[in-house]
Amino acid sequence: MGPSGTALSAKLLNNALFAACTQVTLSALKAATELGIPERAFLDLLADASGGSAAARYIAASGDSAQTYSDRIARYLTKDLKAASTAAADLGVDIGKLLSAARLGPMELGEPVPVTAAPAR
């Protein structure tokens, strides 16, 4: 992947991106329901549509409602965001916009923790 330690950094960034994509997908599912489109029908559509994502596939594969899925996964995503935030700060990398995007949505993924970035190495 790159120099020593980059695989972990890539994993943490991937997890934060997944959290953001999950929030966006859950927001779209909520809007679809409010428009009269059943969750399962919208997830089936996303399987072949340009707006589909790994997040949508995981929600669909779970067989759970969006609410049940989000209730189950939120604690893991919260942990992932905290780990990504800490690692980025330790490395002097600003991922604030990614973390903000991951917290916008129906899941409560914890409050952003102000982290002072360490000087770049």
Side-chain angles (χ1 to χ4, degrees):
M1 162 98 7
S4 179
T6 56
L8 178 58
S9 295
K11 178 188 182 327
L12 293 172
L13 285 173
N14 175 71
N15 291 354
L17 181 58
F18 177 71
C21 291
T22 300
Q23 289 280 43
V24 169
T25 302
L26 291 169
S27 295
L29 283 167
K30 182 177 184 301
T33 300
E34 290 172 359
L35 291 168
I37 304 167
E39 281 184 6
R40 181 59 41 195
F42 192 64
L43 286 167
D44 288 346
L45 172 116
L46 289 177
D48 296 316
S50 61
S53 64
R57 289 191 306 274
Y58 289 1
I59 295 167
S62 76
D64 294 332
S65 70
Q67 184 62 56
T68 299
Y69 181 84
S70 64
D71 289 346
R72 187 168 36 85
I73 196 170
R75 67 181 171 178
Y76 301 108
L77 297 180
T78 299
K79 174 192 64 72
D80 289 345
L81 293 179
K82 187 178 286 188
S85 176
T86 300
D90 288 349
L91 295 170
V93 176
D94 179 7
I95 63 167
K97 289 182 181 179
L98 176 57
L99 295 173
S100 292
R103 288 191 170 94
L104 291 175
M107 283 188 292
E108 176 56 49
L109 298 183
E111 290 299 314
V113 178
V115 180
T116 304
R121 296 180 186 174

